[in-house]
């Protein structure tokens, strides 16, 4: 095999206020042409930092303090900014973790693709447009010709990720750094993307470093696995060798924490080796402020949430003439109810309407038609509806993208405290500060995190902050929109155990949206499968996973990664 990349004794430091953070320590890795390396580890382990160093995108004040990055025989650590700019895109492609922040919101995805293709390949406009349509089709975006004219905000989270993957492939690179490329994708599109990456590697000899926390993805596609812990490479080897016979204690703990797709367990297996500054500190909700009854909630004997004949269409193309307007039916005549204290799962492919439906319940979208009731009280869709405003005191959302849902200019204390201050839930500022500290301890970050800002945390750490903020108003209903999409398996196990404990202790009702079927298997009591805005099937946990009735449900379950499969 031809060696594309040779990382030798790489160390990366971040000087911070009189101290130096050693983010990566003595890292060594080789990547061959046509080979996929799965780089796994917890959030904050240094995986993305290694990828950024290879592409010359280390954020300030990060610096390579020692070592070499040899690409095609040249040490690219010595390259100037201009040389690295020419290298990126054309010879080294990048798939970033956050598709929203890596796409220009003011440009159509077609324009962004065409510009990238012309810059990298020198094609004429028509040729570049044809290539852009081909790339969108390759990554599974339906009707690519019309979607070229759409803006990033008009795509679901998973579809934006597909656009980012298409951009990475635009320049026909020799090496691809894929930073969590399937984070927001359902199992069907994930399978399609992984097959596409595998095909590119086999046919073009492209090397790939797949940075991911998803052990199932690694088992499906990688040739070798490299495991990082606290900035160090602790184990590397073939997939079977590392995942089925791990030698290092940390790797063993990671494998144990992977949720089982075969049976439902009462609790997830947690490991002690977690990121952050403090271990999770348990709150006694019987005596803590968090456990006190929310006086704004009036519960009757009926369901917590009732949805009847709900529909919503988004306008893709506007026109004075009605006949020339085009729409996409995001939610199509959906009906179901969620009982008090139940965890109700919504699964389906990206763009199926899961998040849109959740946003209607949360009051962030206005439905075209249908009825919504919360605790037996009908909720209007206008923002000034009294019942809608009242529901905001006890209904909270954990969003899919924790970074874009936070104010980057606010520190973590103010972010978590904002719901308490807005709804006047505490007696004084001292109590607010104490509750914030308790919540940050409870989600495993430690109270010292309160003084820092969102950009100082990894993706997984930001998701914990989002959960702490959601808990700050003592909700009775929690809408979790892909709450573990950015988390490694060990942190995921802790967060899901935390949600389950809080549900038991506080009687929480949860609408749980996820594309991760093993997680859904462990968390949900009943599950609805959505496709193209419609409900295909609603069944209990056991019935859906043991005996799915709808053809699409059967299709999803067949594609579910199984780490135990040989």
């Amino acid at each position: 095999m031809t060696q594309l990349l040779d990382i030798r004794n790489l160390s990366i430091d971040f000087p911070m206020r009189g101290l130096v953070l050693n983010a990566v320590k003595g890292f060594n890795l080789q990547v061959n042409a046509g080979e996929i390396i799965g780089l796994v580890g917890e959030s904050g382990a240094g995986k993305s930092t290694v990828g950024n160093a290879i592409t010359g995108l280390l954020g300030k004040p990060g610096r390579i303090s020692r070592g070499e990055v040899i690409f095609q025989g040249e040490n690219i650590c010595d390259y100037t900014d201009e040389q690295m700019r020419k290298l990126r895109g054309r010879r080294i492609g990048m798939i970033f973790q956050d598709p929203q922040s890596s796409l220009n919101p003011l440009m159509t995805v077609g324009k962004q693709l065409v510009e990238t293709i012309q810059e990298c390949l020198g094609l004429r406009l028509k040729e570049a447009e044809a290539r852009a349509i081909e790339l969108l089709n390759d990554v599974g975006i339906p009707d690519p010709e019309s979607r070229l004219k759409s803006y990033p905000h008009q795509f679901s989270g998973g579809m934006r990720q597909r656009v980012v993957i298409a951009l990475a492939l635009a320049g026909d690179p020799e090496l691809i750094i894929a930073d969590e490329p399937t984070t927001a994708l359902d199992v069907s599109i994930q399978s399609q993307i992984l097959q596409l990456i595998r095909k590119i590697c086999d046919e073009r000899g492209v090397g790939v470093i797949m940075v991911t926390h998803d052990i199932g993805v690694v088992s499906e596609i990688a040739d070798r696995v490299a495991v990082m812990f606290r900035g160090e490479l602790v184990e590397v080897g073939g997939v079977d060798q590392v995942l089925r016979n791990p030698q290092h204690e940390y790797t063993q703990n990671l494998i144990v924490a992977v949720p089982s797709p075969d049976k439902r367990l009462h609790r997830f297996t947690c490991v002690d080796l977690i990121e952050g500054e403090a271990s999770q500190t348990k709150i006694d909700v019987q005596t803590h402020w968090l456990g006190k009854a929310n006086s704004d909630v009036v519960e009757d004997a009926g369901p917590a949430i009732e949805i009847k004949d709900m529909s919503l269409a988004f306008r893709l193309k506007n026109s004075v003439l009605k006949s020339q307007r085009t729409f996409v039916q995001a939610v199509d005549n959906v009906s179901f109810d969620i009982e008090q204290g139940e965890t109700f799962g919504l699964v389906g492919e990206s763009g199926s309407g899961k998040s849109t439906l959740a946003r209607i319940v949360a009051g962030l979208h206005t439905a075209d038609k249908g009825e919504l009731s919360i605790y037996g009280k009908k909720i209007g869709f206008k923002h000034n509806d009294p019942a809608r405003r009242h529901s905001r005191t006890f209904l909270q959302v954990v969003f899919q993208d924790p970074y874009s849902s936070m104010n980057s200019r606010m520190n973590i204390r103010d972010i978590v405290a904002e719901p308490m201050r807005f709804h006047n839930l505490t007696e004084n500022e001292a109590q607010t500060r104490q509750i914030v500290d308790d919540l940050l301890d409870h989600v495993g970050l430690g109270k010292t995190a309160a003084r820092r800002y969102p950009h100082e945390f990894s993706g997984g750490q930001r998701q914990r902050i989002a959960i702490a903020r959601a808990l700050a108003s003592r909700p009775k209903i929690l809408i979790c929109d892909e709450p573990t999409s950015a988390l490694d398996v060990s942190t995921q196990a802790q967060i899901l155990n935390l949600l389950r404990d809080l549900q038991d202790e506080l009687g929480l009702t949860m609408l749980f949206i996820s594309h991760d079927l093993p997680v859904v298997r462990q968390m949900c009591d009943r599950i609805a499968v959505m496709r193209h805005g419609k409900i295909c099937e609603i069944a209990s946990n056991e019935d859906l996973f043991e005996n799915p009735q709808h053809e699409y449900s059967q299709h999803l379950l067949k594609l579910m990664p199984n780490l135990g499969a040989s």
Side-chain angles (χ1 to χ4, degrees):
M1 277 190 173
T2 304
Q3 189 177 88
L4 285 176
L5 185 72
D6 185 8
I7 304 175
R8 303 173 183 172
N9 199 31
L10 182 68
S11 294
I12 301 171
D13 296 338
F14 285 83
M16 299 173 62
R17 298 177 184 177
L19 56 89
V20 176
L21 173 65
N22 306 121
V24 177
K25 311 164 190 173
F27 184 88
N28 294 277
L29 187 68
Q30 294 75 43
V31 182
N32 299 316
E35 182 182 37
I36 299 177
I37 303 288
L39 186 57
V40 302
E42 294 175 314
S43 299
K47 309 184 302 296
S48 297
T49 303
V50 170
N52 291 338
I54 295 170
T55 54
L57 293 175
L58 272 179
K60 300 293 184 183
R63 64 177 185 228
I64 296 175
S65 58
R66 188 172 68 251
E68 298 176 311
V69 179
I70 309 298
F71 178 66
Q72 297 285 54
E74 296 187 22
N75 183 10
I76 59 178
C77 292
D78 298 331
Y79 275 22
T80 64
D81 289 343
E82 179 62 21
Q83 287 176 308
M84 288 302 302
R85 190 187 70 81
K86 292 180 179 179
L87 188 71
R88 287 191 296 266
R90 300 181 186 183
R91 300 183 64 193
I92 301 179
M94 294 154 292
I95 303 172
F96 294 103
Q97 181 175 359
D98 180 11
Q100 180 73 355
S101 62
S102 57
L103 294 171
N104 189 331
L106 302 180
M107 293 172 62
T108 65
V109 298
K111 187 173 183 180
Q112 294 180 64
L113 270 170
V114 168
E115 281 191 358
T116 303
I117 293 167
Q118 288 185 304
E119 173 70 21
C120 294
L121 302 181
L123 299 181
R124 296 177 180 176
L125 179 60
K126 291 296 183 183
E127 295 172 327
E129 288 176 347
R131 174 63 176 156
I133 292 171
E134 180 184 344
L135 285 169
L136 290 183
N137 185 64
D138 285 344
V139 297
I141 292 183
D143 193 16
E145 292 87 351
S146 64
R147 296 316 298 269
L148 280 178
K149 302 174 184 177
S150 299
Y151 288 85
H153 73 272
Q154 295 175 300
F155 290 83
S156 69
M159 293 177 76
R160 283 196 293 267
Q161 190 71 293
R162 293 182 236 176
V163 173
V164 170
I165 293 171
L167 280 167
L169 300 175
D172 289 328
E174 302 160 52
L175 175 70
I176 294 177
I177 311 297
D179 190 353
E180 305 284 3
T182 60
T183 289
L185 304 184
D186 58 88
V187 288
S188 59
I189 300 303
Q190 173 180 284
S191 177
Q192 181 180 344
I193 294 300
L194 294 180
Q195 290 176 16
L196 175 62
I197 293 174
R198 181 78 267 176
K199 180 181 178 182
I200 292 169
C201 290
D202 293 341
E203 294 183 353
R204 306 184 191 178
V206 174
V208 175
I209 297 179
M210 178 84 69
V211 177
T212 182
H213 62 264
D214 192 329
I215 305 296
V217 166
V218 170
S219 68
E220 291 280 312
I221 191 175
D223 299 301
R224 288 190 294 139
V225 183
V227 183
M228 288 191 72
F229 176 56
R230 294 179 180 172
E232 297 182 356
L233 186 67
V234 296
E235 188 165 357
V236 62
V239 171
D240 287 343
Q241 172 193 336
V242 175
L243 298 188
R244 293 177 175 85
N245 187 27
Q247 301 301 305
H248 195 276
E249 179 187 5
Y250 174 69
T251 312
Q252 294 168 0
N253 286 331
L254 277 185
I255 303 303
V256 167
V258 176
S260 170
D262 300 323
K263 60 181 179 180
R264 191 180 185 190
L265 305 174
H266 178 66
R267 290 181 66 79
F268 290 84
T269 302
C270 286
V271 296
D272 294 329
L273 302 174
I274 65 169
E275 52 136 338
E277 300 170 354
S279 298
Q280 182 177 326
T281 303
K282 188 72 174 174
I283 291 176
D284 182 0
V285 297
Q286 300 300 323
T287 58
H288 194 270
W289 173 91
L290 187 63
K292 294 181 181 179
N294 191 326
S295 59
D296 291 326
V297 180
V298 180
E299 301 176 11
D300 68 356
I305 297 174
E306 292 180 271
I307 294 173
K308 185 177 181 181
D309 302 327
M310 194 76 71
S311 294
L312 174 61
F314 291 115
R315 185 179 298 179
L316 293 180
K317 179 183 177 182
N318 201 5
S319 175
V320 176
L321 301 176
K322 287 187 177 181
S323 60
Q324 295 185 7
R325 297 172 186 169
T326 58
F327 297 83
V328 58
Q329 193 70 40
V331 178
D332 191 357
N333 204 38
V334 168
S335 299
F336 61 82
D337 57 77
I338 304 175
E339 299 298 329
Q340 294 184 34
E342 180 182 32
T343 301
F344 188 89
L346 271 182
V347 301
E349 63 189 18
S350 300
S352 62
K354 308 185 302 296
S355 296
T356 301
L357 187 58
R359 284 174 167 267
I360 293 174
V361 176
L364 300 176
H365 284 327
T366 300
D368 295 330
K369 74 179 187 71
E371 295 180 2
L372 169 66
S373 297
I374 298 180
Y375 291 117
K377 185 176 292 186
K378 190 172 180 180
I379 305 295
F381 294 122
K382 294 183 178 179
H383 291 287
N384 60 354
D385 177 72
R388 166 63 65 193
R389 295 177 64 185
H390 179 68
S391 71
R392 292 193 180 113
T393 63
F394 56 84
L395 187 152
Q396 288 293 317
V397 185
V398 179
F399 293 98
Q400 180 176 353
D401 179 7
Y403 190 68
S404 63
S405 64
M406 295 180 191
N407 187 331
S408 61
R409 296 189 177 187
M410 292 172 64
N411 65 30
I412 302 309
R413 184 182 303 284
D414 290 334
I415 287 172
V416 176
E418 190 173 23
M420 291 185 283
R421 291 168 177 161
F422 182 82
H423 294 295
N424 296 316
L425 298 178
T426 54
E427 297 176 1
N428 51 55
E429 188 61 24
Q431 185 187 28
T432 300
R433 292 171 66 89
Q434 181 60 53
I435 293 168
V436 170
D437 289 346
D438 290 346
L439 287 172
L440 291 175
D441 274 339
H442 200 43
V443 298
L445 283 174
K447 60 186 68 176
T448 56
R451 299 191 298 269
R452 297 160 65 187
Y453 289 81
H455 72 272
E456 298 181 69
F457 294 89
S458 67
Q461 289 171 321
R462 287 196 289 261
Q463 195 67 292
R464 298 195 204 184
I465 295 166
I467 292 172
R469 177 181 59 183
L471 295 174
S473 65
R474 294 180 298 189
K476 295 298 291 182
I477 298 174
L478 201 59
I479 299 175
C480 300
D481 188 358
E482 303 282 4
T484 60
S485 63
L487 304 183
D488 56 83
V489 290
S490 57
T491 306
Q492 171 182 271
Q494 293 166 353
I495 293 301
L496 294 176
N497 278 342
L498 170 61
L499 290 173
R500 182 168 284 174
D501 289 343
L502 288 165
Q503 183 178 33
D504 293 340
E505 295 163 349
L506 304 175
L508 288 176
T509 300
M510 284 197 285
L511 174 57
F512 194 91
I513 300 166
S514 181
H515 63 267
D516 192 328
L517 292 176
V519 168
V520 170
R521 177 70 189 268
Q522 300 301 321
M523 288 296 295
C524 300
D525 302 307
R526 286 190 301 141
I527 301 160
V529 182
M530 288 192 72
R531 191 184 192 194
H532 302 322
K534 295 179 178 288
I535 297 288
C536 299
E537 180 176 357
I538 299 178
S540 68
N541 186 304
E542 290 299 319
D543 287 344
L544 182 70
F545 281 90
E546 298 296 335
N547 188 28
Q549 299 299 306
H550 196 276
E551 181 182 359
Y552 178 64
S553 304
Q554 296 168 0
H555 170 70
L556 285 181
L557 292 175
K558 286 180 181 177
L559 293 174
M560 182 169 57
N562 192 338
L563 192 61
S566 58

